[in-house]
Amino acid sequence: RKVEKAVQSLPQVQQCRVTFTTEKLLIDIDKDSSSTAVDSIKVQINDAVINAGFTLQQIGKKTANSEKDASLTQNLAEHWHAITLVSTIFIAAILAQVNSEASQWLFTFASVFGVIPVINRAIKLARTGTPFAIETLMSVATVGALILGETAESAMVLVLFMIGEKLESFAAGKARKGVKSLVLLMPENATKIVGDKRVLVAATDLQPDDIIEIKPGERL
């Protein structure tokens, strides 16, 4: 919804939607738009998605291996931030038994370190028409706790939020993989009847009003 809202706000876009299962952004624009106008709209759409805190990848631009490498790099970056935050809080909790003042400073550092990317995402979402996102709530909660001097609580709020995001991402990934495995069962070709002939064509080339033949036991 965040991506859809950001793209839908563009004047040239008539309608858009993100398909959860295939991770594709589908957009309807004016049919009479020239190629130059379409290229300009593509740039604006890409900028809108980036401003919303997401990125687009053009279909067919990367191989499967490069996609895996990119995904691995991204996951390592995300885990590095999480590991650093949790490690800092763990050290601060142990240090509280020896030096409470140093522990407070360490909790403060962990809170600031953890909340900066959340605030950045909240600002991007607010600019694209989603001011009351969960990121905004977490930013207000963390900053408010820091102002009240509850540094340990603010750091723990960020950790719980981060864990929730990880679980949500994991669940969404599992659901997406399950649906994709079903999509793979879709036949690639279809038998199209043209006059009195039967022609084998790609299923994606079929158009409304085409007549096709489905044999017994054949997947449709």
Side-chain angles (χ1 to χ4, degrees), residues 41-71:
I41 294 173
K42 286 181 179 179
V43 173
Q44 294 179 37
I45 290 171
N46 189 64
D47 292 341
V49 173
I50 291 175
N51 290 333
F54 300 87
T55 56
L56 291 176
Q57 177 181 305
Q58 187 173 344
I59 297 175
K61 275 289 185 180
K62 294 184 179 181
T63 61
N65 290 334
S66 61
E67 287 179 1
K68 290 179 180 179
D69 293 341
S71 177

Side-chain angles (χ1 to χ4, degrees), residues 62-155:
K62 294 184 179 181
T63 61
N65 290 334
S66 61
E67 287 179 1
K68 290 179 180 179
D69 293 341
S71 177
L72 179 61
T73 304
Q74 184 179 2
N75 288 334
L76 286 175
E78 292 178 358
H79 290 313
W80 173 84
H81 184 270
I83 291 172
T84 302
L85 179 61
V86 173
S87 300
T88 304
I89 294 175
F90 182 73
I91 294 172
I94 296 176
L95 193 61
Q97 309 299 324
V98 182
N99 190 330
S100 59
E101 185 176 352
S103 174
Q104 289 287 350
W105 279 107
L106 206 53
F107 274 125
T108 302
F109 167 77
S111 300
V112 174
F113 174 77
V115 80
I116 286 177
V118 180
I119 292 176
N120 289 335
R121 285 157 56 190
I123 292 173
K124 288 181 178 180
L125 291 170
R127 287 177 177 175
T128 54
T130 311
F132 301 109
I134 184 65
E135 288 80 3
T136 306
L137 175 62
M138 294 307 306
S139 300
V140 172
T142 304
V143 173
L146 283 173
I147 293 174
L148 295 175
E150 304 294 342
T151 55
E153 285 76 3
S154 64

Side-chain angles (χ1 to χ4, degrees), residues 191-199 211:
T191 303
K192 178 179 176 181
I193 299 178
V194 183
D196 58 350
K197 296 182 179 180
R198 287 166 172 75
V199 183
I211 300 176

Side-chain angles (χ1 to χ4, degrees), residues 142-180:
T142 304
V143 173
L146 283 173
I147 293 174
L148 295 175
E150 304 294 342
T151 55
E153 285 76 3
S154 64
M156 286 305 301
V157 163
L158 287 170
V159 170
L160 293 174
F161 174 63
M162 178 190 65
I163 293 174
E165 277 195 321
K166 298 292 183 183
L167 292 175
E168 181 184 12
S169 177
F170 177 76
K174 291 285 287 184
R176 187 178 293 112
K177 287 180 181 178
V179 176
K180 280 185 176 179

